[in-house]
Amino acid sequence: MTYRFKTPLSWADVTPKAAFLNRRQLMAGAAVLLATPALARLSYTPSAYSTDEAPNTFEEISGYNNFYEFGTAKEDPRNNSRAFKPDPWAVQIDGLVERPGSYDLADILGGVALEERIYRLRCVEAWSMVVPWIGFQLSALLDRVGVQPGAKYVAFETVTRPEEMPGQRRAILDWPYREGLRIDEAMHPLTILATGLYGEALPNQNGAPIRLVVPWKYGFKSIKSIVRISLTEGEPPATWKQMQGSEYGFYANVNPEVDHPRWSQASERRVGAGLFAGRVPTQMFNGYADEVAGLYAGMDLAKDY
Amino acid sequence: MQRTTDARAPAPGLATRINGAMRRVPVWTVYVLGALPALWLFAQAATNTLGIDPVREIEHRLGELGLQFIVGGLAITPLRRIVGVNLLRFRRAIGLIAFFYVLAHLAAWLVLDMGLLWRQVAADIWKRPYITMGMAGFLMLLPLALTSNNWSIRKLGGLRWRWLHKLAYPAALAGAVHYLWLVKAWPVEPFLYLGVIVALLLVRAWFAGGGMSRG
């Protein structure tokens, strides 16, 4: 099987970084070149939080996922996201923060060092992948904008652009897609904002230009193409919970002992494992229990699912 | 309102001509045509061209083919009543092909998707309404498939056999609901299947209510 991300281009074909930066009029030192993903190798360092499991191929990760803004079939995001424009991009940060405002993506990325985080991803539909994300800890951004003491939750919103996102032209979900985390979950070092995949800028279908990744929760929690981050006192609305609260809880922690009404969560099918690979047992908190179980001490996870 | 079939029949010439042509088509051609999608799927699986998740693709496509042939089987009587095209000779073949795809869909779920984890399979059938519904549909189709032969018709007697084969209607509904229940949000496709199946059953009920039923 060929990896689509391996292009025939070599490093010699890459525009010198200085010239490229100049042409794009990006801030000197900005590490990310979002405009032309084919040429935009990101610079990043490996992370101790990475799993040593073999990642899925770029083809699998970018060709098979849920992103209902582009359609409900697994291939729709790849097929229907070409017209989406992730550049320019700004994120509105507001609510209980010291320095609210509209932050340009280059500005956000100017203040952080990118890391490669190879994480397991478990979808609530009982399939899973391993994804080499490039990103930075959400806590770094929250520290920068200054979280006020009264803030207990972080709310996120996906962009609404029906002209670029065909799935939004029908009321499949209550657009814009919304998600939220408790503040301690948001500040946890495993929680990242990802801007890349396999060393390159995030493809549109995977949530370009910036998305959340919370590896111990079901995939739907990791909201894509974020345009708004609000610090709130009360639990923010979450789209799937609003739509079907009995099936999709606010916490959405991967938990083999608490079944979704329609999918047993005891096991999962690893995408790309082959026709007769069968299933692997699902791990508590998707295998991140040592790091995150403490966040939920004293909680009944069958109730707060 | 007066219900007459004559009023809605189109130019009799066309239906008669179609019926004449179809009389020359042997039933085995339906089995051959019905097997083609399965062969195509098998070829794609063998050459690894079923996309990123071939397990899901095989499972879903077999289930959808099952539903499509069920719809085809249900359409035969209304087609004859409304349009005058008589395809009754092919109904058994279409029904058996539908059953074959439903069986293959079930097998794909058990072997490829569930990896023969029998305890989890049993728990899922019991606990997941859409799987319960799918299994119920399959169990209703099973006696139909087993009695789809002339020997069974003779053994059961025409009346009882026909009564038994009305199980096709709840089985079709179970299949459509199984599909609808499985999806998240509200995509169009499962509604189409459910809509077409409900419409075909309503047409049937309408004719039956008019006292014009001849089986």
Side-chain angles (χ1 to χ4, degrees):
Chain A
M1 194 183 288
T2 54
Y3 287 15
R4 189 174 278 177
F5 63 92
K6 280 182 183 159
T7 72
L9 296 172
S10 72
W11 283 109
D13 298 309
V14 178
T15 308
K17 192 172 177 183
F20 193 73
L21 288 172
N22 189 33
R23 198 163 68 208
R24 288 276 158 208
Q25 297 180 314
L26 288 175
M27 290 162 56
V32 187
L33 314 172
L34 289 159
T36 51
L39 297 177
R41 288 299 297 185
L42 306 178
S43 64
Y44 55 85
T45 54
S47 164
Y49 286 109
S50 287
T51 169
D52 54 8
E53 288 176 59
N56 280 82
T57 64
F58 179 82
E59 165 113 31
E60 286 160 355
I61 296 165
S62 63
Y64 186 93
N65 64 330
N66 285 321
F67 195 173
Y68 279 21
E69 279 76 351
F70 293 114
T72 54
K74 299 280 180 293
E75 297 81 5
D76 283 347
R78 179 189 57 195
N79 297 337
N80 300 338
S81 63
R82 278 184 215 102
F84 184 72
K85 295 181 201 71
D87 180 40
W89 196 268
V91 181
Q92 175 75 25
I93 306 181
D94 55 23
L96 301 171
V97 293
E98 307 291 350
R99 288 168 287 281
S102 176
Y103 287 79
D104 199 66
L105 189 63
D107 181 20
I108 291 174
L109 291 171
V112 296
L114 294 178
E115 290 180 18
E116 180 175 66
R117 299 275 184 111
I118 305 173
Y119 281 164
R120 284 178 293 274
L121 180 146
R122 169 63 153 79
C123 178
V124 72
E125 298 162 345
W127 54 267
S128 63
M129 287 190 182
V130 176
V131 185
W133 301 109
I134 309 293
F136 60 93
Q137 286 179 204
L138 173 60
S139 61
L141 178 63
L142 295 180
D143 286 341
R144 218 175 121 206
V145 296
V147 176
Q148 292 179 15
K152 295 198 182 75
Y153 294 90
V154 189
F156 302 88
E157 250 178 61
T158 296
V159 72
T160 312
R161 287 186 193 167
E163 64 284 1
E164 293 173 29
M165 304 173 113
Q168 287 183 335
R169 290 171 208 159
R170 285 182 52 221
I172 306 168
L173 296 174
D174 181 17
W175 316 114
Y177 191 88
R178 297 182 185 86
E179 259 305 343
L181 295 172
R182 213 169 55 192
I183 192 80
D184 55 344
E185 298 176 322
M187 298 302 271
H188 194 279
L190 279 173
T191 305
I192 60 167
L193 288 173
T195 57
L197 183 62
Y198 263 117
E200 293 182 2
L202 213 52
N204 287 345
Q205 61 266 38
N206 293 95
I210 187 164
R211 65 168 289 169
L212 183 69
V213 179
V214 196
W216 70 91
K217 293 176 180 287
Y218 293 121
F220 69 86
K221 206 70 191 163
S222 293
I223 186 169
K224 304 182 182 86
S225 304
I226 297 168
V227 286
R228 186 161 178 216
I229 300 176
S230 306
L231 279 286
T232 64
E233 203 192 327
E235 184 186 296
T239 298
W240 280 108
K241 186 186 173 186
Q242 279 181 310
M243 176 142 171
Q244 190 62 271
S246 62
E247 300 194 357
Y248 310 97
F250 177 79
Y251 288 94
N253 289 314
V254 175
N255 188 338
E257 282 147 36
V258 176
D259 281 349
H260 181 282
R262 290 183 294 163
W263 296 286
S264 163
Q265 300 297 16
S267 63
E268 65 204 49
R269 219 159 43 74
R270 182 64 57 79
V271 171
L275 271 188
F276 297 98
R279 299 191 154 233
V280 291
T282 289
Q283 304 177 66
M284 188 65 199
F285 295 113
N286 203 21
Y288 300 94
D290 287 348
E291 290 89 354
V292 301
L295 296 174
Y296 309 99
M299 280 172 67
D300 179 357
L301 295 178
K303 209 165 120 267
D304 290 312
Y305 51 92
Chain B
M1 186 184 144
Q2 192 73 18
R3 296 175 193 170
T4 60
T5 41
D6 304 44
R8 42 191 73 232
L14 184 62
T16 312
R17 261 182 293 159
I18 291 176
N19 288 340
M22 293 310 282
R23 251 193 294 279
R24 286 192 288 277
V25 178
V27 169
W28 59 259
T29 50
V30 176
Y31 286 106
V32 170
L33 291 175
L36 288 181
L39 290 174
W40 173 232
L41 191 60
F42 187 81
Q44 283 182 296
T47 54
N48 198 15
T49 49
L50 282 173
I52 288 157
D53 190 359
V55 172
R56 179 204 56 144
E57 189 67 20
I58 290 170
E59 186 179 329
H60 287 192
R61 247 207 259 171
L62 289 170
E64 242 177 289
L65 282 161
L67 266 177
Q68 285 159 1
F69 279 96
I70 285 173
V71 167
L74 286 182
I76 284 175
T77 299
L79 207 60
R80 186 170 59 102
R81 294 266 169 83
I82 298 173
V83 194
V85 173
N86 187 353
L87 301 174
L88 260 171
R89 286 171 58 230
F90 306 109
R91 188 160 66 177
R92 177 187 291 175
I94 291 173
L96 282 171
I97 294 164
F99 176 77
F100 165 78
Y101 281 113
V102 171
L103 181 69
H105 168 69
L106 174 63
W109 176 64
L110 287 173
V111 178
L112 304 182
D113 189 341
M114 297 308 293
L116 297 175
L117 293 174
W118 293 109
R119 281 182 54 166
Q120 212 176 306
V121 163
D124 276 0
I125 292 172
W126 179 247
K127 281 169 74 177
R128 322 262 161 252
Y130 81 93
I131 297 178
T132 315
M133 190 60 78
M135 272 318 278
F138 171 74
L139 291 177
M140 286 187 268
L141 288 180
L142 192 58
L144 306 198
L146 293 176
T147 58
S148 280
N149 48 70
N150 296 335
W151 181 82
S152 294
I153 296 177
R154 280 198 303 275
K155 202 79 185 155
L156 284 166
L159 209 64
R160 256 189 298 174
W161 186 90
R162 278 208 331 246
W163 189 86
L164 177 69
H165 279 243
K166 290 193 195 305
L167 272 177
Y169 313 149
L173 282 175
V177 171
H178 164 69
Y179 184 13
L180 185 64
W181 216 326
L182 157 75
V183 297
K184 296 197 297 186
W186 304 107
V188 183
E189 263 206 316
F191 281 104
L192 288 180
Y193 282 102
L194 185 61
V196 169
I197 286 173
V198 167
L200 286 172
L201 294 184
L202 285 177
V203 168
R204 212 170 262 277
W206 191 72
F207 278 111
M212 309 193 52
S213 171
R214 288 190 293 123

